[in-house]
Amino acid sequence: MKLISTIYPTSEDENAHFFASHPTSIYQDDNGQFFIATKYETFPQKKLFSICESYSTPLSYILKIADVIQMPHNAIKKSPFYSKLYTIQFGTEKQCEKFIHDKDWRVRATVFQYGSNEQRKKLMQDKDERVRVFIVEHGTNEERECFMNDKSLHVRAAIVKHGTDEQRERLIDDESPYVRSKIAIYGTYQQRQKLIYDKSEEVRSTIVQYGTVEQRNQLINDEDERVRAAIIKHLAYEQLEPFIHDKSALVRTTVVAYCSDEQRQKLINDENSFVRQMVEIYNKRK
């Protein structure tokens, strides 16, 4: 087969999509048939719409492929799913309106993306959290403000990621550890510091991963073994020494993976069989 072209992600939607965010090569065989080769699979042109729909691939990706293989846009209009997205993006406001209550949340989300201000307002009350998450991701800070107390933790977590520091600050005491963990990822140093002794192990472990050396040091003797285990991979050999005798087998097992050869030998006769097994495995790798 002959390589015809390679397309690359250019839009925000494409870059955020696991399928479209990688280069895609388009080939043509001796019979003139086109094949699309993605990072994950290669498929013939006739499966383009079904496969892309199954992955919720953006319409912009389809249009790029159409341009390369000279597929008329009328062919897109024959796809039940992509014909709706095409009409919403390129049609009139009146045409867009009829999709505002479509049963497919992806279609309604596209109405929000390309519709009028009035249509966007109607979708702010959508019952599907996936639509509301999409609004938070693609909307304005003023629109995000309407979802600060949304019942869905995924919507509030999306605000943490896409909103302002002020909005994150107001969510810092959110009831969900998942939301607070997102603040530990996307928030400021000061916001992480406020969460440094959070009651949730999930939040403290996230601070270990995304915080500063100073913040990790504050958690180095955390009461939860999972937090201490998370710290291990961030420490120098000399800092690992106390953890060789940690009361937790999980922590000692983690030490085996990140310590020096000399330190590992101190765990060769550990009381826990799994720790001893890990020592044996790592010793064989030398």
Side-chain angles (χ1 to χ4, degrees), residues 260-271:
S260 67
D261 291 343
E262 181 181 348
Q263 289 171 320
R264 194 173 295 117
Q265 299 319 303
K266 296 178 182 180
L267 289 164
I268 201 166
N269 294 314
D270 192 272
E271 63 183 26

Side-chain angles (χ1 to χ4, degrees), residues 124-171:
M124 295 286 283
Q125 305 299 323
D126 198 279
K127 292 182 179 180
D128 194 313
E129 69 171 12
R130 292 171 295 184
V131 174
R132 301 197 305 278
V133 167
F134 186 93
I135 292 172
V136 168
E137 291 173 343
H138 293 80
T140 64
N141 284 323
E142 183 179 353
E143 288 167 330
R144 291 183 188 104
E145 196 64 32
C146 300
F147 298 101
M148 288 295 291
N149 297 312
D150 195 276
K151 61 184 179 181
S152 166
L153 64 88
H154 296 291
V155 173
R156 301 195 307 277
I159 293 175
V160 169
K161 181 176 181 179
H162 298 278
T164 65
D165 281 339
E166 190 272 336
Q167 288 170 329
R168 279 188 280 272
E169 189 68 31
R170 285 156 53 202
L171 287 167

Side-chain angles (χ1 to χ4, degrees), residues 171-186:
L171 287 167
I172 206 160
D173 293 318
D174 193 275
E175 64 182 16
S176 168
Y178 179 78
V179 175
R180 300 197 304 277
S181 290
K182 293 299 181 183
I183 294 176
I185 296 173
Y186 299 107

Side-chain angles (χ1 to χ4, degrees), residues 150-247:
D150 195 276
K151 61 184 179 181
S152 166
L153 64 88
H154 296 291
V155 173
R156 301 195 307 277
I159 293 175
V160 169
K161 181 176 181 179
H162 298 278
T164 65
D165 281 339
E166 190 272 336
Q167 288 170 329
R168 279 188 280 272
E169 189 68 31
R170 285 156 53 202
L171 287 167
I172 206 160
D173 293 318
D174 193 275
E175 64 182 16
S176 168
Y178 179 78
V179 175
R180 300 197 304 277
S181 290
K182 293 299 181 183
I183 294 176
I185 296 173
Y186 299 107
T188 64
Y189 168 87
Q190 290 77 13
Q191 288 167 340
R192 289 189 193 97
Q193 195 59 34
K194 289 179 181 179
L195 295 169
I196 198 81
Y197 298 119
D198 191 274
K199 61 184 178 181
S200 167
E201 160 278 321
E202 178 185 352
V203 176
R204 301 197 306 278
S205 292
T206 305
I207 292 174
V208 167
Q209 184 175 356
Y210 291 93
T212 64
V213 172
E214 176 195 349
Q215 289 171 329
R216 279 195 287 271
N217 286 340
Q218 292 177 65
L219 292 167
I220 204 164
N221 294 314
D222 194 275
E223 63 182 17
D224 194 294
E225 64 177 2
R226 291 166 293 184
V227 178
R228 298 198 306 279
I231 288 175
I232 296 299
K233 67 179 180 180
H234 297 281
L235 300 179
Y237 288 156
E238 58 270 20
Q239 293 174 296
L240 288 176
E241 199 65 30
F243 293 100
I244 292 174
H245 307 289
D246 194 277
K247 62 183 179 181

Side-chain angles (χ1 to χ4, degrees), residues 88 95-104 107-109 111-112 116 118-123 126:
I88 292 167
Q95 289 174 315
C96 194
E97 182 71 25
K98 69 179 182 179
F99 297 112
I100 207 160
H101 298 297
D102 194 272
K103 63 181 181 180
D104 192 323
V107 174
R108 302 197 305 278
V111 172
F112 176 84
S116 65
E118 188 61 33
Q119 289 166 339
R120 288 167 72 98
K121 287 179 182 177
K122 291 178 181 179
L123 285 162
D126 198 279

